[in-house]
Amino acid sequence: MSSTMEQAQHQGSPMASTTPHPRVVKAVDAMKDLGIHERITIHILKKLFKVYNNSWEFIEAENYRVLADGIFEYQDDRVNEGKKRKDSQSSSEVEPQSKRSNLMQHENRIAGCSQSVFGSKLNEHKLAQTFTRGDVDQAKPGSHSIHSNERGSWSQSYSVQDIASASRDRKKEKEKQTYSYQNDLRENEAVPERVSIGLSFKEPKVERSQVMTCSDGRYNAVTRHQSEPFISDDFLFEKPIAMVHPLNQYHAKEDREDGGDGISVKGHNDGLCVEIENKSANCFSNFEISSTPLGEVKISLSCSSSTGRPDFRMPSLDAVLKLAGDRCLKTHKIINPSISLIDLMEELCQHFLRLSTIRTSGVNMDSRALVVYEGIHEGHDHMADSSSNGWRNSLNGQHFRQAEKKILEFNGGRNKRKDQDDLNSLTSASSLMVAQQFNLDSERPPHDLEDIAKGEEKLKILVVNEINNTHPPLFHYIAQNNVYQDAHVNFSLARIGDEDSCSNCFGDCLSSPITCACTRETGGEFAYTADGNVKEGFLDEYITAIRNLPNDRLYYCEDCPLERSKNDNKKCKGHLVRKFIKECWTKCGCNKKCGNRVVQRGITRDLQVFLTAEGKGWGLRTVKSLPKGAFVCEYVGEILTNMELYQRNEKSTGNEKHTYPVLLDADWSSEGILDEEALCLDATRYGNVARFINHRCYDANLVEIPVEIETPDHHYYHVAFFTSRPVDAMEELTWDYGLDFLDVNHPIKAFRCLCGGIYCRGMSLANGATS
Ligand SMILES: C[S@@+](CC[C@H](N)C(=O)[O-])C[C@H]1O[C@@H](n2cnc3c(N)ncnc32)[C@H](O)[C@@H]1O
């Protein structure tokens, strides 16, 4: 980014160090294993910190048991709130009492104090009056374990210890290993534990023909009324209340005596529970949900018929959870608030089957193959790891396509819509594989030298090497930003208010006499000229502001997400508050050719990627001269969270070639930004031509301006490069990265600057170029 020497000291630069606290990262990783999204984990962590006076020990104890409980409880509360809202809207009936609150009141009566760690803000002091600290520790509700066996069955059990029994059972409990995944090969064991009051699965949504009732009218004991007697001792899960066959909907509707869905329902003799049975011969899997009157619940997922398949391989639990988690994130964007536990289990089951029966060129996938399968979603790290095992060539994208085809064949009896879904996920997975293949085949020319954009842009972008016969570094060309995994980028029409769109405009807003609502950001005037360049007045003011850095241009976070995560907890260095350009978009009445739509139209200038003579590696230049304010290109890359970037950097050896990530902090002043909301763009693996723009200190000929297009929410925006002055034909395009060459702690080692400018600040300071 354009900046002065001083600016390089600030965080309002693309190179800002993004280093979350390692303990936060560990906690996030641990929760991710449970399929919990980073945003939620961090949200709860913060609350727990307040409750526990920043004590990590308490939060980390028993493998983050408190944290997990807090999260479950939080999710529970949200579901309840949603339900309450719905209920109060739809009927005037007396609101049914929350089941959890029933339980909690009940537990509280027994324990004589508040038990909720999170929701009711556990008061340790208060608890200590009745129980020892150890008892309180033991009393954190909600242990959770998952077991799997060789035959493809998992059982997932949840437990809670109330304070009273924690006191009693403390010694016994210590011996139990709770809250850990166990992917061992032992027989499926039912673990006699009691249900967590914090879990959000207490009222499974039963869809289609899945029925889940108890003959006494209760789903499970979480619905137990507070007046029921509390019996605290062991209760084994002997009888399932329900067996749900999630894949049943895929079977052809042949045997209709059961109502046409292949499912029949029959009650258990004990008069307590109901079993749901799938009569279909092609039963792939089923769930067993067992419950006791006390609320002890065991949910097990078994894929029994897969075990008879010769090609069955037990997939790793992590792989299945990851695949299901990814799908939840991608299909539902983030966990769908209306999703039920049954839906989740169903999803898990499908992915379990997917992974357990994938074949590659007639060879069964083994555990290594699963790692690569995950690698499809992960980027090239896994592939790089696996390559060292010397087997990568047998698992290229084509084989994965075969593998996916196999899944479709295997599921031949399923309905068409599901097959289409599979096909869709296949397409997205395959497209990522193309990027992996660059690494796979060293014989293959890495890029189309005639057009490095491979047709993704309107114009071809030539690669020119007048110096030697090397090629540009490997990456996957994308013309638009793409979410890597966790970034929460919400483009919904509902978020665009009337004030954020010009629905009354028509044709070209620039030539309209009506004041366009889209000029809101730029003081009632358009930022662009009719030629599509940024107006000189706007540009000069913008450049002056970022180069001269008056103090009122810097925003200092009270609790900076960048500094907070560092061990030394330094103060915020300040983020440069930038002016935005707002372009017209879908809700606007104007047409696609409207003059207030420049960046969204993509690259229109003739550009070349070339090998620089000064030793800076590859660079970008313009073939024709450009006027001041011309749009050149956008910085396109993967959208990462601050945390993901940190994790990526942590894995890096420090010796790779880097593009520098851009932090999207231009508008942090308008709202306190949270860790989990901090986004950045990284073009190292996926990017466009902007990844070739080299750095120049201070007087670079490009300036980056934040541009709002799809969403008025400035936590995500486009980073667009415009010329800061007229540029000659064949002149290299440069950008001031805003690098602090003095920052030895930055995760990416600075290079020795060869910009050759008279204001160069990095020539003598840093050691060794990385390119
Ligand atoms: C975003 S990439 C730019 C493209 C890069 N030159 C390439 O070949 O892929 C950033 C890297 O380019 C090199 N670079 C960029 N500007 C430079 C400069 N002024 N002096 C020396 N190296 C530079 C550094 O190696 C830096 O890590």
Side-chain angles (χ1 to χ4, degrees):
M1 285 189 178
S2 296
S3 69
T4 57
M5 190 73 165
E6 298 93 280
Q7 187 205 333
Q9 314 301 321
H10 294 285
Q11 287 168 332
S13 74
M15 314 310 167
S17 169
T18 52
T19 322
H21 195 294
R23 289 171 98 159
V24 175
V25 177
K26 269 182 88 178
V28 165
D29 283 347
M31 293 303 106
K32 242 184 206 162
D33 287 345
L34 298 176
I36 295 163
H37 194 274
E38 174 192 320
R39 286 169 66 83
I40 297 175
T41 303
I42 293 176
H43 181 69
I44 303 300
L45 260 182
K46 281 180 190 159
K47 301 209 174 220
L48 287 174
F49 268 135
K50 284 193 187 134
V51 176
Y52 293 128
N53 276 336
N54 297 330
S55 156
W56 268 107
E57 287 66 31
F58 208 48
I59 292 167
E60 288 169 339
E62 291 184 68
N63 223 341
Y64 303 99
R65 186 165 161 168
V66 171
L67 177 60
D69 287 335
I71 290 169
F72 289 136
E73 216 167 313
Y74 167 77
Q75 291 175 332
D76 200 23
D77 285 345
R78 289 186 61 158
V79 172
N80 277 343
E81 271 168 30
K83 256 175 73 184
K84 271 188 200 162
R85 260 202 307 276
K86 242 181 165 177
D87 288 349
S88 63
Q89 276 165 10
S90 63
S91 90
S92 56
E93 283 170 25
V94 180
E95 195 178 282
Q97 204 171 8
S98 139
K99 287 163 191 164
R100 185 164 68 84
S101 85
N102 276 353
L103 246 190
M104 283 182 60
Q105 284 172 28
H106 188 79
E107 306 284 357
N108 292 346
R109 232 184 32 243
I110 302 292
C113 65
S114 168
Q115 185 183 339
S116 171
V117 177
F118 179 65
S120 57
K121 304 245 191 301
L122 175 71
N123 181 329
E124 280 182 64
H125 176 66
K126 231 178 179 178
L127 290 169
Q129 290 169 358
T130 322
F131 303 100
T132 65
R133 168 66 185 256
D135 293 337
V136 176
D137 283 351
Q138 287 296 303
K140 299 298 163 287
S143 70
H144 166 195
S145 60
I146 298 181
H147 307 263
S148 67
N149 66 19
E150 263 171 331
R151 296 173 317 181
S153 284
W154 294 344
S155 88
Q156 187 162 4
S157 314
Y158 300 86
S159 78
V160 60
Q161 294 294 309
D162 65 85
I163 289 178
S165 70
S167 181
R168 198 173 52 243
D169 296 335
R170 191 173 153 202
K171 202 163 161 245
K172 202 170 120 202
E173 272 301 301
K174 272 197 169 161
E175 289 155 18
K176 271 194 194 169
Q177 224 193 343
T178 55
Y179 208 82
S180 62
Y181 285 136
Q182 295 176 9
N183 195 17
D184 59 20
L185 300 178
R186 278 181 287 130
E187 280 297 303
N188 189 5
E189 292 169 354
V191 182
E193 292 171 337
R194 281 176 287 136
V195 72
S196 166
I197 55 167
L199 292 174
S200 55
F201 67 94
K202 57 194 181 293
E203 197 173 58
K205 196 175 93 202
V206 183
E207 288 181 335
R208 295 176 284 274
S209 48
Q210 298 162 2
V211 182
M212 230 170 108
T213 56
C214 287
S215 54
D216 61 357
R218 291 174 281 126
Y219 285 107
N220 59 40
V222 187
T223 61
R224 173 169 53 96
H225 191 270
Q226 58 175 305
S227 59
E228 288 171 35
F230 180 82
I231 309 160
S232 67
D233 279 326
D234 295 342
F235 193 101
L236 291 174
F237 302 100
E238 288 166 347
K239 296 253 164 66
I241 56 162
M243 292 171 67
V244 183
H245 306 280
L247 299 181
N248 186 67
Q249 67 270 27
Y250 304 134
H251 302 313
K253 300 200 171 203
E254 296 149 359
D255 172 10
R256 297 304 75 147
E257 70 176 28
D258 48 70
D261 58 8
I263 286 183
S264 71
V265 181
K266 67 179 184 187
H268 267 311
N269 291 342
D270 60 11
L272 184 68
C273 301
V274 169
E275 176 183 334
I276 300 168
E277 228 179 37
N278 192 334
K279 285 183 177 175
S280 167
N282 286 331
C283 170
F284 290 113
S285 62
N286 61 48
F287 301 138
E288 273 183 42
I289 300 180
S290 319
S291 171
T292 76
L294 301 180
E296 293 146 322
V297 174
K298 185 188 91 177
I299 301 175
S300 64
L301 163 65
S302 52
C303 300
S304 47
S305 64
S306 337
T307 59
R309 292 173 55 94
D311 57 350
F312 178 82
R313 287 284 182 280
M314 181 71 195
S316 86
L317 179 59
D318 283 348
V320 179
L321 290 175
K322 168 130 187 45
L323 194 55
D326 280 356
R327 193 179 151 104
C328 278
L329 291 171
K330 281 176 188 149
T331 311
H332 313 309
K333 293 293 176 248
I334 186 168
I335 300 293
N336 180 346
S338 68
I339 206 159
S340 68
L341 187 74
I342 288 294
D343 292 339
L344 277 177
M345 293 292 280
E346 182 171 329
E347 202 124 347
L348 278 183
C349 192
Q350 287 169 20
H351 295 308
F352 176 89
L353 280 164
R354 232 165 207 246
L355 292 174
S356 64
T357 52
I358 282 176
R359 292 167 66 84
T360 60
S361 304
V363 180
N364 274 315
M365 287 179 79
D366 58 14
S367 55
R368 293 172 304 170
L370 287 177
V371 177
V372 177
Y373 190 82
E374 284 182 89
I376 295 173
H377 302 274
E378 278 285 323
H380 63 216
D381 285 354
H382 289 301
M383 187 58 83
D385 291 343
S386 57
S387 67
S388 59
N389 295 335
W391 56 282
R392 63 186 181 183
N393 288 331
S394 67
L395 285 165
N396 60 24
Q398 197 191 356
H399 290 147
F400 271 104
R401 279 187 284 279
Q402 285 169 3
E404 291 276 3
K405 195 160 161 259
K406 207 76 194 161
I407 294 169
L408 298 185
E409 284 164 17
F410 174 53
N411 295 334
R414 298 179 182 187
N415 71 24
K416 287 266 178 341
R417 194 188 63 76
K418 190 64 201 167
D419 283 354
Q420 189 55 48
D421 284 350
D422 284 341
L423 213 50
N424 291 342
S425 62
L426 155 84
T427 321
S428 60
S430 307
S431 67
L432 292 178
M433 282 308 296
V434 177
Q436 316 285 355
Q437 283 180 345
F438 289 142
N439 288 343
L440 298 183
D441 190 352
S442 53
E443 302 297 305
R444 184 172 169 251
H447 288 296
D448 178 351
L449 302 180
E450 295 293 308
D451 178 17
I452 198 162
K454 297 180 298 179
E456 293 284 331
E457 306 286 1
K458 289 188 189 113
L459 301 174
K460 288 188 172 186
I461 300 169
L462 206 65
V463 177
V464 180
N465 186 344
E466 292 144 342
I467 295 173
N468 55 35
N469 54 8
T470 57
H471 296 310
L474 302 171
F475 72 102
H476 192 70
Y477 197 99
I478 51 172
Q480 268 139 21
N481 292 329
N482 272 287
V483 170
Y484 162 61
Q485 187 167 302
D486 288 344
H488 185 60
V489 180
N490 185 349
F491 299 153
S492 60
L493 290 173
R495 291 169 77 96
I496 307 175
D498 289 345
E499 68 284 7
D500 296 315
S501 57
C502 57
S503 50
N504 293 330
C505 286
F506 186 81
D508 176 9
C509 292
L510 259 61
S511 54
S512 165
I514 309 168
T515 314
C516 174
C518 295
T519 57
R520 162 182 63 79
E521 291 279 354
T522 38
E525 268 191 44
F526 287 107
Y528 299 130
T529 63
D531 298 332
N533 302 325
V534 174
K535 284 182 181 164
E536 192 151 1
F538 180 95
L539 196 61
D540 288 345
E541 198 187 314
Y542 185 90
I543 294 171
T544 307
I546 62 171
R547 287 190 179 163
N548 298 330
L549 275 184
N551 273 345
D552 64 346
R553 281 277 167 187
L554 288 172
Y555 165 70
Y556 295 91
C557 317
E558 267 177 40
D559 184 15
C560 182
L562 303 183
E563 297 303 328
R564 179 196 314 147
S565 47
K566 290 182 189 164
N567 284 332
D568 44 4
N569 233 337
K570 284 188 185 148
K571 276 190 179 165
C572 173
K573 289 175 183 162
H575 304 271
L576 187 54
V577 182
R578 291 161 195 268
K579 262 182 129 175
F580 275 69
I581 292 177
K582 187 209 171 306
E583 295 199 352
C584 292
W585 183 237
T586 13
K587 267 199 167 178
C588 298
C590 55
N591 65 33
K592 186 80 183 165
K593 288 187 180 155
C594 163
N596 194 34
R597 297 171 185 243
V598 172
V599 173
Q600 61 191 269
R601 283 207 284 264
I603 296 173
T604 54
R605 306 288 180 170
D606 203 354
L607 305 173
Q608 276 182 2
V609 171
F610 75 108
L611 191 64
T612 62
E614 302 86 2
K616 297 181 288 186
W618 296 86
L620 187 70
R621 67 188 175 196
T622 171
V623 176
K624 296 179 187 146
S625 62
L626 298 173
K628 181 175 175 179
F631 170 62
V632 171
C633 66
E634 185 184 336
Y635 184 100
V636 169
E638 288 175 276
I639 310 170
L640 300 178
T641 63
N642 186 26
M643 181 72 72
E644 286 170 333
L645 179 65
Y646 169 78
Q647 286 163 342
R648 199 171 264 194
N649 287 337
E650 221 184 15
K651 278 190 203 163
S652 129
T653 59
N655 296 322
E656 306 100 339
K657 292 175 182 174
H658 280 288
T659 63
Y660 283 93
V662 177
L663 187 62
L664 301 182
D665 64 348
D667 195 27
W668 281 11
S669 55
S670 70
E671 42 184 317
I673 195 87
L674 301 170
D675 261 354
E676 65 264 33
E677 284 165 352
L679 299 181
C680 53
L681 302 174
D682 184 7
T684 308
R685 300 170 179 178
Y686 294 84
N688 70 345
V689 282
R691 74 190 299 291
F692 292 108
I693 304 176
N694 284 317
H695 161 86
R696 183 173 172 96
C697 299
Y698 193 69
D699 59 357
N701 53 21
L702 294 181
V703 61
E704 84 291 354
I705 301 180
V707 177
E708 170 192 326
I709 301 180
E710 302 91 342
T711 168
D713 170 0
H714 285 171
H715 103 275
Y716 172 77
Y717 54 82
H718 297 262
V719 175
F721 290 108
F722 296 89
T723 50
S724 57
R725 58 168 172 80
V727 180
D728 291 337
M730 302 310 270
E731 186 178 340
E732 180 176 5
L733 295 161
T734 55
W735 164 46
D736 188 337
Y737 294 177
L739 253 187
D740 179 357
F741 287 95
L742 293 169
D743 184 357
V744 286
N745 293 325
H746 196 282
I748 302 174
K749 205 168 69 177
F751 48 85
R752 189 167 63 94
C753 186
L754 299 171
C755 74
I758 51 168
Y759 305 106
C760 181
R761 59 182 188 262
M763 176 76 178
S764 54
L765 295 172
N767 43 8
T770 55
S771 207

